[in-house]
Amino acid sequence: MDAQVSDNSRSITIIGAGLAGALLATLLAQRGWSVDVYEKRGDPRVRGYAGGRSINLALAERGRHALRLAGADDAVMSHAVMMRGRMVHFADGRTDLQRYGRDDSEVIWSIHRGELNISLLDIAETAGARLHFDRGLVAADFDRHVATFADAGGGLLDVGFDSLVGADGAGSALRVAMAKREGLGERTENLGHGYKELEIPPGDDGSFRIEPNALHIWPRGRYMCIALPNDERTFTVTLFLPSHGEPSFDTVRNGAEARAFFERDFADASPLIPNLEQDFDSHPTGTLATLYLDLWHLGGDAVLLGDAAHAMVPFHGQGMNCAFEDCVALAEHLDNAPDRASAFAAFQAERLPNARAIQQMALENYLEMRDRVDNDDFLLQRALELELAARHPDRFVPRYSMVTFMRIPYATAFERGRVQRELLADVTRGHSSLDTIDRALADRLVTERLPPLGKSA
Ligand code: FAD
Ligand code: 8RB
């Protein structure tokens, strides 16, 4: 027997008060929904953020737009550090700042994950959402519409629901419960590379030790380091390295070996990381994977979003941005559709192709960051790309910019990016410098192959 459920009720139960859960709670509560959020961990505002370490994320236009809609942009931006471009650190010690956009209106922002989560929780509560901490979902009964949660001591608690939204991250417990009911077509592709977080502390005078307004990259072919600034004048460094082979996390096994590896391959970064040995030994090695599902919802009973639906590799810095965009889309579909089953179906139809596109672009950007930034063909194509973008601002927009500074669907950015890449290859083939490029041909191909964005997007 079903519990009392009307498929057009305006009450919803969100699993996970991470980035997407807290934002979705706000958007729905602001629209007058009755919202309960269940979070496995404790309230970070009471006990301090779990892990304690400074982990930062790159916030781009898609994420900022969602934060603006929720009224959270000002609170978040007050601690953000601007990143104007990539600062590439070559093996010989030279550096080169490659701007991301046209000017300082096209930049990305480094924000502190813990502070962001706390701002979003405050705003969700102010909007009227009820937050329940130390409540981890362990099971969901979709016949009786009862969800079971475990508290911090392992005690179980049954709660009735109308619909569940899974914002419980890459290891989603709701996804597991849904898959018991119906096949979701789940596939996980491991990248075969892992990561380790390290820290650059402030200099002796308390200042940033390297350029603060950049995302630093040390490309080394098959692997790389990156560093993002924190507003307390530190940098969070991430080493991305294959899991196996030479070099890999199999051969760089501990702090001492990591120091020797950095002295050899990241010679300019090594002295900036005084606690490299301790950081390497005490921080876990993370794994990287892409999660694909064919089905994101069970009728009107449950739906997944964010990492729970489409975890991706980090190389475009879009996991959170995409999760926030999901929240806006789901809130709009819930508001406009006649019932929750059609809202969830419309949400999946809109977002699944876009998730696939950004997952693919994130994979591709690893190669670009670790390898191509340092390569002559790439630099020539990039130079022509910047020129064509300046001459045809409505038609030729670098893919990175479409993803990062615009809100056109990811799938559109992916498809136009493919057309542009072919065009650049066609026009630069056989050339080694911009001087000999046939500009008339380039201009003609741009108008033929790329309709103005305003109209097509
Ligand atoms: P999460 O933020 O992971 O939230 C899931 C929440 O659910 C957590 O609070 C968790 O405790 C809770 N939960 C888990 N299980 C249960 C359960 N059983 N019951 C109840 N609650 C549960 N993205 C970017 O856009 N830019 C970046 O620069 C960037 N950098 C990143 C750096 C790192 C180190 C990592 C790990 C990720 C980064 N990402 C970045 C990706 C981004 O963090 C994720 O895409 C984003 O957090 C997804 O949001 P979410 O709400 O789906 O999941
Ligand atoms: N998850 C980012 C970019 C693109 C930068 C560029 C790349 C660390 C884990 Cl690897 C990475 C980008 O093309 O020049 N923008 O934002 C964030 C990135 O990594 C984040 C900090 C990260 N995400 C597990 C580690």
Side-chain angles (χ1 to χ4, degrees), residues 56 58 86 100 108 195 197 215 217 224 226 228 238 240 288 314-317 365 369 400:
N56 45 24
R86 310 176 162 157
Y100 286 133
I108 54 177
Y195 70 94
E197 282 154 354
L215 190 158
I217 309 181
M224 67 176 187
I226 64 164
L228 274 69
T238 311
F240 293 98
L288 300 168
F315 307 108
H316 224 305
N365 212 46
M369 290 180 76
Y400 182 88

Side-chain angles (χ1 to χ4, degrees), residues 188-411:
T188 301
E189 271 173 28
N190 289 313
L191 183 64
H193 292 234
Y195 70 94
K196 186 77 89 172
E197 282 154 354
L198 310 166
E199 193 191 72
I200 299 177
D204 292 333
D205 58 353
S207 60
F208 284 105
R209 292 181 86 155
I210 50 176
E211 167 60 45
N213 295 116
L215 190 158
H216 295 263
I217 309 181
W218 288 261
R220 295 297 183 264
R222 297 191 57 238
Y223 48 95
M224 67 176 187
C225 277
I226 64 164
L228 274 69
N230 292 301
D231 74 339
E232 64 266 45
R233 296 170 195 272
T234 63
F235 291 82
T236 304
V237 177
T238 311
L239 165 67
F240 293 98
L241 189 65
S243 306
H244 311 291
E246 170 60 51
S248 73
F249 282 108
D250 279 347
T251 64
V252 182
R253 287 166 297 188
N254 54 49
E257 290 177 356
R259 176 66 78 189
F261 174 55
F262 268 71
E263 286 292 319
R264 191 191 75 185
D265 282 11
F266 300 103
D268 61 332
S270 187
L272 303 172
I273 313 173
N275 295 328
L276 191 149
E277 288 86 348
Q278 297 86 326
D279 287 350
F280 195 96
D281 286 331
S282 62
H283 300 167
T285 304
T287 57
L288 300 168
T290 309
L291 167 77
Y292 304 96
L293 303 181
D294 295 329
L295 188 64
W296 288 2
H297 72 110
L298 293 184
D301 291 338
V303 67
L304 301 170
L305 53 59
D307 281 7
H310 52 64
M312 64 189 74
V313 296
F315 307 108
H316 224 305
Q318 286 288 317
M320 159 188 63
N321 288 283
C322 178
F324 283 174
E325 208 172 49
D326 286 352
C327 294
V328 173
L330 182 59
E332 279 173 4
H333 286 298
L334 278 168
D335 248 10
N336 297 330
D339 55 64
R340 283 169 292 130
S342 25
F344 294 171
F347 167 73
Q348 176 186 317
E350 178 192 337
R351 295 299 296 169
L352 194 142
N354 290 315
R356 293 277 162 91
I358 187 58
Q359 287 178 313
Q360 180 60 31
M361 292 190 282
L363 284 162
E364 290 173 8
N365 212 46
Y366 190 21
L367 206 66
E368 171 157 337
M369 290 180 76
R370 72 187 201 216
D371 201 23
R372 294 186 65 219
V373 284
D374 192 351
N375 159 300
D376 286 344
D377 282 349
F378 168 73
L379 292 174
L380 175 60
Q381 293 192 13
R382 197 182 125 89
L384 180 60
E385 174 170 73
L386 292 177
E387 194 187 296
L388 292 179
R391 280 148 77 109
H392 306 276
D394 54 334
R395 292 180 192 265
F396 198 114
V397 180
R399 188 172 90 175
Y400 182 88
S401 297
M402 291 190 281
V403 168
T404 308
F405 307 128
M406 299 179 74
R407 292 185 291 111
I408 60 172
Y410 286 122

